[in-house]
């Protein structure tokens, strides 16, 4: 499962309608270019591909007043909305998603009702704990002598699992304690840039800010 699809769908959804440059700017504002494959080429490719798959509706807009090429604005279709929430739920509940996919899921966590977010995270804890029990019944990472230095591989994975359980339980406690604004609870946190708002974390030179055919 690719994080870029979730990131792009979520970024477009937060605007209602957004062109490629806005999506790129928002994801760079999140630092997604540092922890995922949300690079410019991947973002624009995902937009066009998901438009072909009818997950996004492409709206052609008038040429810019500065004389640039027309922009294409994208909007989620009903199928895109369904795919967005499918990807979001999967990112939060899986035992071993890639770090970028879990990070993307966390970025859109509050689009879910609070109770559902907690339930998904508890399922993740259950899956992690179940996996640990299974592997430690066959391997002994604490000792590791029988496998020599190869035992450190499983030791690393068990340690990562323990850390994942601890962190997820902490997040559950914060959410159950009232942290953040979830779907249906009021005005959501605004995690996207307003039109024209400068992005202090942009990963490009000003000369690269808008290239023909990339929006």
């Amino acid at each position: 499962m690719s994080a870029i699809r979730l990131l792009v769908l979520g970024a477009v959804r937060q605007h209602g309608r957004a062109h490629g440059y806005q999506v790129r700017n928002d994801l760079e504002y999140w630092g997604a270019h540092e922890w995922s494959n949300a690079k410019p080429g991947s973002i624009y490719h995902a937009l066009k591909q998901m438009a072909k798959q009818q997950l996004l509706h492409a709206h052609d807009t008038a040429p810019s007043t500065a004389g640039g090429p027309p922009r294409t604005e994208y909007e989620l279709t009903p199928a895109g909305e369904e795919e967005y929430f499918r990807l979001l739920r999967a990112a939060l509940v899986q035992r071993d998603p890639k770090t970028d996919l879990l990070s993307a899921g966390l970025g859109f966590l509050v689009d879910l009702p609070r109770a559902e977010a907690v339930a998904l995270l508890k399922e993740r804890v259950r899956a992690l704990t179940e996996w640990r029990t299974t592997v430690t019944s066959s391997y002994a990472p604490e000792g590791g002598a029988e496998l020599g230095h190869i035992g450190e591989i499983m030791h690393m994975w068990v340690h990562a699992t323990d850390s994942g359980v601890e962190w997820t339980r902490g997040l559950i406690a914060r959410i159950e304690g009232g942290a953040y604004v979830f779907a249906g609870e009021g005005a959501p946190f605004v995690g996207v840039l307003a039109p024209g708002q400068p992005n202090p974390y942009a990963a490009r030179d000003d000369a690269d800010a808008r290239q023909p055919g990339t929006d």
Side-chain angles (χ1 to χ4, degrees):
M1 186 185 305
S2 169
I4 191 68
R5 288 169 69 89
L6 175 56
L7 286 167
V8 169
L9 286 171
V12 171
R13 187 177 184 273
Q14 290 199 33
H15 283 284
R17 277 174 59 160
H19 52 73
Y21 177 66
Q22 284 177 300
V23 173
R24 174 183 172 181
N25 214 29
D26 286 339
L27 295 183
E28 288 179 352
Y29 181 60
W30 285 26
H33 57 291
E34 300 289 356
W35 46 260
S36 77
N37 192 37
K39 305 298 189 289
S42 299
I43 292 169
Y44 296 123
H45 175 75
L47 286 166
K48 293 175 182 177
Q49 195 69 15
M50 287 192 287
K52 289 180 181 178
Q53 296 168 349
Q54 299 185 331
L55 300 177
L56 293 171
H57 180 70
H59 301 271
D60 289 329
T61 62
S64 71
T65 56
R71 290 180 185 263
T72 300
E73 290 188 339
Y74 297 90
E75 180 181 14
L76 267 67
T77 64
E81 186 84 359
E82 183 178 333
E83 175 71 354
Y84 168 70
F85 279 104
R86 185 189 72 79
L87 292 172
L88 174 55
R89 292 180 175 109
L92 294 171
V93 78
Q94 287 183 12
R95 175 186 66 80
D96 59 346
K98 293 182 179 178
T99 304
D100 59 348
L101 183 58
L102 178 58
S103 300
L106 291 174
F108 301 117
L109 176 71
V110 295
D111 285 347
L112 298 167
R114 185 179 298 270
E116 183 178 5
V118 167
L120 290 169
L121 291 169
K122 285 183 176 179
E123 175 60 22
R124 181 170 189 267
V125 169
R126 185 204 63 75
L128 286 166
T129 304
E130 183 179 85
W131 178 87
R132 189 191 198 285
T133 300
T134 299
V135 299
T136 53
S137 67
S138 302
Y139 296 87
E142 287 78 8
E146 294 181 5
L147 292 175
H149 73 282
I150 303 301
E152 292 296 339
I153 298 173
M154 192 57 71
H155 192 184
M156 178 191 71
W157 280 99
V158 170
H159 178 77
T161 299
D162 291 343
S163 297
V165 168
E166 181 182 4
W167 171 83
T168 306
R169 284 175 172 161
L171 176 57
I172 290 169
R174 291 189 291 277
I175 294 172
E176 290 182 327
Y180 317 122
V181 178
F182 285 79
E185 295 182 350
F189 174 79
V190 178
V192 296
L193 294 165
Q197 182 180 352
N199 178 6
Y201 309 113
R204 62 196 178 285
D205 297 328
D206 290 341
D208 184 47
R210 187 163 185 260
Q211 298 177 357
T214 59
D215 55 3

